[in-house]
């Protein structure tokens, strides 16, 4: 019988699950670093347990996704459910931690450390159940999809999904284990991030009419984005099932200028908008670009012909909106006994899987409010609930098809 580690009077977590969580958390997979150490460790473990594994790499070869399959009892590798999680974590730079962020610490019924909540807790618990998955007489296969660079724009998952399509791999449903307090999330917003570069012309501040002030024109565009956000807030469209029931937009960073007595030649800022499902993303982006091209650039070029405003896409991740009749929705709701319609403002890779034709849902341990913060933690009873849920999933895939 599998040994267990007591986590609280009300919950238990398997030793293998907790060990895997700890192992993953000890690996510093901050997005700026390689994740190959983690991926190769998991790959070797999967291989040793008879799983079929495939790695797909980023252009540098320093990061990789892993897709691994537990075949059905009949040896089938197509269909079934995929458990999805990202392996990268956000930086700890500038944060005041009470313990080493990469040395897991259990205290007061909580597991502290970077990635505990977002989202190595889910991945580790799932990996700890691989032996049980192998021993079960699965009528449908189970898969793992572990990605790189989710935290900097969901860059890894599209590479993996393109490979699955190329290889003809078919999946019936996807469970993304982002922190949702083990509640079923059926929809989330999309996120779209862009960089805008304003090229003006430098001049001494005593001769301002001879210059084109890049910061001032950037400010005009930023105010236009703010006005756009206000329009969505006031006029909608709205979906009151979301915690923030309308599309939002904001400017997050800005850089420009060299001295107070110099008309700035350059200004760069980054902005984002988070759209409700069904909103025309390209329409919002086009409206912002058209304001720059029609209202601002002609005025700038009255002074200097070379003045310009350019845009660059940083990252996009589509919204998620799971159909109530989707099989994965019914399965996860039944296993969690959760019938509430829950929609959230944060984005996940679930939207990418859905866009690839794989019905997807979000359900994972931990509270999103603890993610990305100093002293990040996941409550141990959440990990126990996750493990219980995944055990039930294994049983359901051993007798009930999607």
């Amino acid at each position: 019988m599998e040994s267990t580690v007591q986590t609280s009077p009300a919950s238990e977590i398997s030793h293998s699950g907790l060990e895997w969580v700890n192992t993953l958390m000890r690996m510093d997979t901050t997005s700026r670093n390689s994740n190959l150490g983690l991926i190769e460790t998991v790959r070797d473990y999967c291989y040793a347990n008879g799983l079929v594994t495939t790695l797909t790499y980023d252009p540098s070869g320093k990061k990789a996704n892993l897709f691994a399959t537990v075949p059905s009892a009949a040896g089938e590798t197509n269909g079934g459910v995929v458990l999805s999680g990202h392996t990268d974590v956000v930086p700890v730079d500038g944060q005041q931690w009470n313990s080493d962020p990469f040395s897991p610490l259990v205290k007061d019924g909580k597991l502290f450390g970077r990635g505990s909540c977002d989202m190595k807790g889910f991945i580790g618990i799932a990996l700890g159940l691989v032996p049980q998955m192998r021993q079960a007489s699965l009528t449908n296969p189970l898969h793992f999809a572990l990605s790189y660079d989710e935290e900097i724009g969901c860059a890894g998952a599209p590479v993996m999904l393109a490979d699955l399509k190329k290889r003809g791999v078919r999946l019936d449903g996807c469970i993304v284990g982002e922190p949702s307090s083990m509640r079923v999330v059926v929809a989330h917003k999309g996120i779209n991030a862009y960089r805008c570069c304003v090229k003006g012309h430098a001049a001494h501040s005593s001769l301002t009419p001879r210059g084109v002030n890049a910061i001032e024109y950037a400010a005009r565009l930023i105010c236009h984005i703010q006005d756009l956000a206000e329009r969505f807030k006031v006029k909608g469209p709205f979906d009151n099932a979301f915690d923030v029931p309308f599309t939002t937009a904001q400017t997050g960073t800005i850089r420009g200028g060299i001295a107070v007595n110099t008309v700035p030649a350059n200004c760069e800022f980054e902005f984002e908008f988070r759209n409700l499902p069904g909103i025309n993303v390209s329409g919002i982006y086009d409206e912002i670009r058209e304001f720059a091209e029609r209202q601002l650039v002609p005025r700038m070029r009255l002074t200097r012909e070379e003045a310009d405003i350019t845009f660059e896409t940083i990252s996009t991740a589509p919204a998620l909106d799971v159909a109530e009749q989707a099989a994965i929705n019914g399965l996860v709701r039944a296993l969690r006994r959760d019938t509430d319609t829950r929609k959230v403002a944060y984005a996940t890779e679930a939207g990418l899987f859905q866009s690839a034709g794989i019905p997807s849902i979000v359900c994972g341990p931990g509270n999103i409010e603890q993610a990305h913060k100093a002293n990040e933690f996941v409550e141990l009873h959440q990990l126990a609930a996750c493990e219980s849920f995944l055990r039930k999933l294994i049983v359901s895939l051993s007798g009930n098809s999607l």
Side-chain angles (χ1 to χ4, degrees), residues 168-344:
V169 176
R170 178 180 57 81
L171 301 170
D172 295 322
C174 174
I175 301 171
V176 178
E178 288 277 8
S180 69
S181 299
M182 289 306 299
R183 297 178 297 180
V184 179
V185 171
V186 298
H188 65 62
K189 292 182 178 180
I191 182 171
N192 312 272
Y194 305 93
R195 181 176 297 109
C196 177
C197 298
V198 181
K199 179 184 177 183
H201 183 75
H204 192 281
S205 61
S206 64
L207 303 171
T208 55
R210 300 181 186 179
V212 178
N213 193 309
I215 290 178
E216 291 178 355
Y217 278 99
R220 292 176 185 270
L221 185 52
I222 290 169
C223 287
H224 178 73
I225 294 170
Q226 184 182 33
D227 290 343
L228 187 64
E230 186 65 21
R231 188 182 80 198
F232 282 121
K233 180 179 179 181
V234 173
K235 297 183 177 181
F238 301 100
D239 185 338
N240 290 321
F242 278 88
D243 42 5
V244 179
F246 47 85
T247 295
T248 61
Q250 64 102 26
T251 299
T253 68
I254 186 168
R255 296 169 289 277
I258 60 171
V260 70
N261 62 351
T262 302
V263 175
N266 296 287
C267 184
E268 176 181 296
F269 65 93
E270 295 170 351
F271 65 97
E272 66 159 27
F273 56 87
R274 294 176 181 253
N275 61 287
L276 293 175
I279 294 294
N280 182 359
V281 171
S282 60
I284 300 173
Y285 183 41
D286 289 345
E287 183 174 345
I288 295 169
R289 292 188 60 170
E290 287 173 7
F291 177 81
E293 293 168 359
R294 296 180 182 180
Q295 301 294 323
L296 301 182
V297 172
R299 294 175 59 181
M300 297 165 68
R301 288 180 176 171
L302 289 175
T303 303
R304 301 294 300 194
E305 184 62 29
E306 70 273 17
D308 201 8
I309 298 177
T310 59
F311 295 85
E312 174 189 354
T313 300
I314 299 173
S315 62
T316 61
L320 170 72
D321 194 2
V322 182
E324 285 297 324
Q325 66 271 24
I328 191 66
N329 183 29
L331 175 61
V332 175
R333 283 190 181 282
L335 296 179
R336 287 298 300 153
R337 298 182 179 179
D338 184 353
T339 59
D340 290 344
T341 298
R342 196 171 292 106
K343 304 180 180 183
V344 296

Side-chain angles (χ1 to χ4, degrees), residues 105-112 380:
L105 173 67
V106 174
K107 184 179 180 182
D108 299 329
K110 301 172 183 176
L111 176 62
F112 291 88
L380 294 175

Side-chain angles (χ1 to χ4, degrees), residues 7-26:
T7 58
S8 75
S11 63
E12 292 182 340
I13 307 171
S14 68
H15 177 76
S16 57
L18 196 57
E19 277 300 301
W20 264 111
V21 175
N22 289 339
T23 296
L24 299 178
M25 288 174 58
R26 291 188 187 102

